[in-house]
């Protein structure tokens, strides 16, 4: 710790000459998975993406076998689009922000394993199809109903505290880490923390609140909020530190209140 | 008159989604084609904010001043009437996003807060933390999802446009796109097509752009006859974080909130920056530009940073300078800039609240793009464009936080123009005369020939070479001999392209064929950028030639227009509409000159 109180990051002191990258591959949807290992020369400031780019340029395994270039998704490379999510050394995260030095420091060896997320259809190699997550957003009507996009002036005033609370939920990039880590989620049986948190985001908004009933309705079906087993894995893996368990708690409370007093509205 | 209007939109960033929302709201149908799920579009990377002269700080700001700042900042190369319309619409755009639920940062009275940005003396930039682009994109993504649920918008995510479908009269009747999973090609019939595909940063190899920003679809349209304007105007952002895979943006909001750029006065000073006393630090922007200081426009900040590094003042003798926030309380920084400081910490490992950041300029934005008229229509009937992929608004240099507002303005303007066109378009013969089948066949043949090719060239290495040449010779400082050599290099790369092998025997979800197609299109567009720069013997905005250091209005107060031909781009020049703000010399060392 330095004099001003901030903790300085630990650096990798004796980097290896090369790193071994083990990739869990699949040729196409429904095909068998298999492993291939690639040896990549170490350089400072590598991340998983730049290592994959290296391999793509020269797709030859450590054993010298020519193979196909690995397929993976990437876009912003700033951990804000969510597309490059995969399982790295056993932990689900974005590959752009997975720095090789940090991975080597954590394991103490020179091996890095890359696997596709296991909870979504695996298109090829490290690429998965997260369409179900976007369908969940439809189910909870994760939007504000507008009278129209014509000029109607600003919305209601709002305290900065409330804006900041909503901002925390609004940073969700639909990456799927929470679903990958959730022990309850398999074969799209559960709407999951991401959609519940988005319902919460709009239920907190002064205008969005007016459609709270419809949103809660979407969470009260067979794949709804009651599937949560309170393992709290989601909140630990969320790269945006979204208070997912708080959203689940608050939304459960909203549903209870809605059930208790719902008949009064009829 | 047509019924059941269908409009195809290519690109699902801010501009594309803004247009989709307006068209669906008007009761028409949209096919929305995007290479990635639209929520993952490059607009998410915009950090600092969105401009609009709402004037809640009592500074006397107005849309007229926003217009003046934008024209002045763009070195007077933008046609002014659409800029005026954008600046007039900007406050309404911010209010609409407010109603859509964007969590804008607030003042103590609960109003939308505004921060300062480059090239203006007013607080004009609304922001949601430091991930404003993400927040605005999400708001539109949500609204468009609502229209998708209502059956008005059909999304084709994971599809890439390969070409337009033009009829015998060069009228756009739709497009051909490729499914990136199955590689299936499909025709999209449409009464009008709106291009909203963003910028071409990947032509420069590493840039601040997302990996989807190849400019490929725009280049395809250009090769089919769409005019491309002001290609040579490429914005190099003064503050990016160099990386192996990309250059990550460090937002201008860091300077907007008080960040100071400096280098040690002693060249090669090896001390910890915190141990270098103030009088041994050179705050070169503040010294040279006392009025605007660290908030001079991007082209100027970039050249100054570049210059001090060339003169040997770069930190530790390398191409980097300090961007220092450590004099601001950590709590304030977390609240106002949290998201971008996290990015720096995540990728570099230092906490910018306590350690000055090390930054260097990086390719960021294309002011140039498809030529459009004041209603966002290209020269091809039935083809419109909006957002970074069109050339309007920003002239020779874009001001910070003007991109988000220009994307939404472009989408909001293109949508009614496309509907108006579609209502009146003559549709006869388009179903039966085989134009879709012919274009599908042509595109399939290109894919087949790439798949079959067996040569010794590696397409990713060709892309690296292109990026290096473009970055070295066609960015901050430009010389005619080097520009000529770069064009020759591009021709050489085009020749070598014919000998690439895709290295992938498995065509399912292969990225090799899409990348090869993007690469060819990048090479075509790279020539437009390079030759546009070669032919413009002056310095204006982001385009700087030491051999021609002054702006030359007499000869070059004109938009460059490039039209494709098999040999080389054909360049011509078009007058700029300067009917609203009279051009004057840009000088940011003093308070601004005469304003509107």
């Amino acid at each position: 710790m330095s004099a001003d109180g901030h903790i300085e990051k630990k650096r990798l002191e004796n980097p290896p000459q090369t790193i071994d990258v083990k990739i869990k591959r699949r040729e196409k949807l429904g095909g068998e998975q298999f492993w291939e290992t690639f040896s990549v020369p170490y350089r400072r400031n590598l991340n998983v993406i730049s290592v994959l780019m290296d391999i793509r340029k020269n797709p030859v395994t450590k054993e010298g076998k020519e193979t196909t270039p690995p397929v993976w998704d990437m876009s912003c490379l700033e951990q804000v689009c969510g597309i490059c999510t995969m399982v790295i050394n056993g932990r689900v995260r974005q590959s752009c922000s997975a720095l090789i030095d940090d991975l080597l420091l954590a394991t103490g060896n020179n091996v890095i394993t890359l696997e596709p997320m296991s909870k979504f259809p695996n298109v090829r190699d490290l690429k998965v199809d997260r369409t179900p997550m976007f369908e969940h957003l439809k189910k909870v009507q994760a939007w504000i109903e507008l009278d129209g996009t014509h000029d109607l002036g600003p919305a209601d005033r709002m305290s900065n505290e409330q804006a900041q609370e909503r901002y925390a939920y609004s940073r969700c990039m639909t990456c799927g880490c929470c679903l990958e880590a959730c022990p309850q989620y398999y074969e799209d049986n559960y709407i999951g923390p991401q959609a519940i948190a988005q319902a919460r985001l709009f239920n907190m908004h002064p205008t969005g609140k007016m459609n709270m009933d419809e949103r809660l309705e979407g969470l009260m079906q067979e794949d709804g909020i009651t599937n949560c087993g309170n393992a709290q894995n989601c909140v630990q893996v969320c790269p945006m530190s979204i208070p997912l368990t708080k959203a689940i708690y608050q939304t459960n409370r909203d549903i209870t209140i809605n059930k208790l007093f719902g008949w009064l509205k009829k | 008159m047509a019924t059941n209007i269908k409009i195809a939109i290519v690109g699902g960033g801010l501009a594309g989604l803004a247009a989709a929302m307006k068209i669906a709201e008007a009761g028409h149908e949209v096919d929305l084609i995007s290479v990635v799920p639209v929520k993952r579009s490059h607009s998410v990377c915009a950090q600092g904010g969105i401009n609009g002269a709402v004037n809640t700080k009592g500074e006397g700001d107005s849309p007229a001043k926003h217009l003046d700042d934008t024209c002045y900042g763009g070195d007077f190369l933008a046609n002014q009437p659409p800029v005026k319309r954008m600046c007039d619409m900007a406050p309404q755009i911010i209010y609409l996003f407010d109603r859509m639920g964007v969590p804008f940062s607030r003042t103590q009275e609960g109003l939308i807060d505004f921060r300062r940005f480059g090239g203006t003396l007013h607080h004009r930039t609304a922001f949601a933390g430091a991930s404003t682009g993400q927040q605005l994109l999400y708001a539109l993504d949500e609204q468009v999802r609502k229209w998708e649920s209502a059956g008005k918008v059909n999304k084709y995510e994971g599809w890439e446009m390969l070409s337009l479908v033009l009829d015998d009269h060069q009228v756009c009747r739709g497009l051909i796109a490729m499914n990136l999973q199955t590689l299936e090609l499909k025709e999209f019939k449409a009464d009008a097509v709106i291009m909203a595909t963003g910028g071409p940063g990947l032509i420069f190899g590493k840039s601040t752009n997302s990996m989807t920003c190849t400019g490929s679809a725009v280049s395809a349209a250009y090769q089919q006859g769409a005019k491309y304007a002001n290609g040579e105007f490429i914005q190099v952002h003064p503050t990016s974080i160099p990386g192996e895979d990309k250059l990550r943006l460090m937002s201008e909001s860091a300077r907007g909130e008080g960040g100071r750029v400096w280098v040690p006065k002693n060249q090669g000073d090896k001390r910890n920056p915190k141990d270098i006393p103030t009088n041994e630090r050179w705050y070169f922007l503040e010294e040279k530009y006392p009025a605007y200081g660290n908030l001079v426009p991007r082209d100027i900040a970039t050249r100054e940073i570049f210059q001090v590094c060339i003169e040997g003042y770069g930190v530790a003798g390398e191409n980097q300078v300090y961007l220092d926030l450590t004099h601001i309380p950590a709590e304030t920084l977390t609240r106002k800039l949290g998201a971008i400081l996290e990015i720096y910490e995540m990728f570099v490992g230092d906490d910018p609240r306590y350690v000055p950041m090390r930054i260097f300029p990086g390719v960021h934005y294309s002011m140039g793009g498809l030529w459009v008229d004041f209603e966002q229509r290209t020269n091809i009937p039935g083809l419109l464009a909006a957002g970074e992929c069109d050339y309007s608004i920003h002239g020779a240099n874009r001001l910070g936080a003007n991109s988000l507002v220009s994307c939404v303005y472009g989408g909001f303007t293109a949508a009614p123009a496309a509907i108006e066109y579609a209502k009146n378009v003559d549709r006869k013969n388009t179903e039966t005369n085989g134009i879709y089948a012919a274009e599908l066949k042509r595109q399939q043949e290109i894919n087949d020939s790439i798949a079959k090719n067996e040569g010794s060239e590696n397409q990713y290495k060709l892309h690296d070479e292109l990026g290096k040449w473009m970055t070295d010779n066609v960015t901050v400082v430009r010389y005619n001999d080097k520009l000529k050599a770069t064009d020759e290099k591009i021709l050489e790369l085009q020749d070598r392209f014919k000998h690439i092998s895709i290295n992938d025997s498995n065509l399912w979800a292969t990225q090799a064929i899409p990348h090869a197609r993007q690469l060819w299109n990048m090479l075509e567009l790279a020539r437009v950028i390079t030759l546009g720069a070669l032919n413009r013997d002056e310095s204006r905005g982001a385009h700087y030639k030491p051999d021609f250091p002054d702006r030359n209005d007499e000869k070059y107060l004109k938009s460059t227009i490039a039209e494709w031909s098999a040999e080389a781009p054909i360049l011509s020049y078009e007058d700029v509409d300067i009917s609203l703000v009279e051009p004057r010399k840009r000088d940011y060392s003093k308070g601004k000159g005469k304003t509107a």
Side-chain angles (χ1 to χ4, degrees), chain A residues 11 43 47 57 72 75-78 81 123-124 144 148-149 155 160 166-167 170 173-174, chain B residues 22 25 39-40 98-99 101 106 109 131 135 143 211 244-246 248 350 458 464 506 508 511:
Chain A
R11 308 276 177 174
R43 305 188 294 283
N47 59 358
K57 263 179 227 170
W72 78 98
S75 188
C76 79
L77 307 189
E78 296 181 0
C81 82
V123 176
R124 181 177 166 180
I144 299 237
T149 61
N160 202 40
R166 291 193 66 248
Y167 178 67
S170 189
M173 53 188 181
T174 328
Chain B
K22 283 284 186 186
E25 187 180 52
K39 196 177 177 180
R40 310 196 193 283
D98 189 22
R99 285 170 49 220
R106 301 277 160 172
E109 250 186 88
S131 64
Q135 296 303 309
Q143 293 299 318
M211 304 311 280
E244 274 276 330
D245 50 343
K246 85 168 287 192
R248 294 181 174 82
D350 291 330
N458 182 311
D464 283 352
N506 176 6
W508 169 264
Q511 291 160 335

Side-chain angles (χ1 to χ4, degrees), chain B residues 536-556:
Chain B
R536 185 178 280 273
D537 281 335
E538 65 160 351
S539 292
R540 181 187 298 272
H543 172 72
Y544 175 64
K545 283 186 175 174
D547 297 333
F548 304 91
D550 297 319
R551 190 173 92 189
N552 179 349
D553 281 352
E554 203 178 321
K555 207 165 167 203
Y556 291 110

Side-chain angles (χ1 to χ4, degrees), chain B residues 411-473:
Chain B
F412 280 6
T413 306
I419 294 169
E420 195 53 34
Y421 173 85
K423 277 182 181 163
N424 299 305
V425 68
D426 177 4
R427 296 194 198 176
K428 66 174 182 280
N429 296 333
T430 54
E431 292 296 324
T432 52
N433 65 6
I435 53 172
Y436 297 102
E439 187 59 28
L440 263 177
K441 182 161 175 280
R442 191 171 79 93
Q443 294 305 323
Q444 188 62 53
E445 283 168 2
I446 297 174
N447 274 9
D448 293 347
S449 92
I450 292 171
K452 275 205 300 278
N453 233 2
E454 289 199 21
S456 56
E457 294 287 353
N458 182 311
Q459 58 168 327
Y460 298 106
K461 289 178 186 162
L462 294 189
H463 186 194
D464 283 352
E465 281 186 51
L466 172 68
K468 187 167 182 341
W469 274 77
M470 293 299 289
T471 300
D472 286 350
N473 302 314

Side-chain angles (χ1 to χ4, degrees), chain A residues 98-119:
Chain A
L99 308 186
I100 299 299
D101 280 15
D102 294 347
L103 295 171
L104 299 181
L105 262 176
T107 60
N109 61 38
N110 74 331
V111 182
I112 287 163
T113 63
L114 306 179
E115 299 168 75
M117 285 195 279
S118 64
K119 302 285 182 79

Side-chain angles (χ1 to χ4, degrees), chain A residues 138 143, chain B residues 3-9 16-33 141-156 188-192 419:
Chain A
K138 288 182 193 163
W143 53 73
Chain B
T3 51
N4 301 326
I5 288 172
K6 182 183 265 192
I7 294 173
I9 299 174
L17 292 180
M21 177 176 75
K22 283 284 186 186
I23 293 165
E25 187 180 52
H28 308 297
E29 197 178 340
V30 174
D31 279 348
L32 180 56
I33 293 126
D141 175 66
E142 290 148 11
Q143 293 299 318
V144 169
R145 184 165 295 105
K146 183 181 79 179
W147 290 113
E148 187 191 8
S149 298
K152 285 290 178 193
V153 174
N154 316 304
K155 280 187 192 157
Y156 292 86
F188 290 83
K189 297 174 183 174
D191 299 308
I419 294 169

Side-chain angles (χ1 to χ4, degrees), chain B residues 366-387:
Chain B
S366 172
M367 275 71 72
L370 290 171
W371 179 92
V372 290
D373 67 10
F374 296 173
E375 306 299 327
Q376 307 290 141
R377 296 175 295 214
T378 72
N379 61 306
I380 295 180
L383 181 69
L384 300 91

Side-chain angles (χ1 to χ4, degrees), chain B residues 215-325:
Chain B
S216 183
V218 158
S219 175
Y222 154 73
Q223 291 167 60
Q224 289 180 288
K227 292 179 179 175
Y228 197 89
N230 287 346
E232 66 270 32
F233 290 94
I234 297 290
Q235 178 165 82
V236 181
H237 195 290
T239 61
S240 76
I241 312 162
E244 274 276 330
D245 50 343
K246 85 168 287 192
L247 312 173
R248 294 181 174 82
L249 179 64
M250 178 43 58
S251 169
E252 191 165 302
S253 56
R255 284 172 288 136
E257 296 295 348
R260 303 178 74 187
V261 174
W262 63 276
V263 288
K265 280 186 180 165
N266 304 320
Q267 293 189 4
D269 196 327
K270 289 210 161 51
R271 282 178 291 177
N272 184 322
K274 303 282 275 183
D275 299 333
I276 300 177
T278 310
N279 62 1
E280 292 178 39
R281 300 173 177 190
W282 184 21
Y283 294 96
F284 52 94
L285 290 175
E286 296 171 32
E287 183 183 301
K288 293 182 184 177
Y289 304 94
Y292 286 79
N294 294 288
L295 284 174
V296 286
R298 291 175 177 176
D299 56 325
I300 294 171
T302 291
R303 276 194 292 278
E304 295 292 353
I305 292 170
F306 211 74
Q307 189 58 33
V308 299
C309 289
I310 286 175
E311 288 170 12
Y313 287 97
V315 173
E318 291 182 42
N319 280 337
Q320 51 189 8
V321 301
Y322 288 126
L323 171 55
D324 195 348
L325 290 164

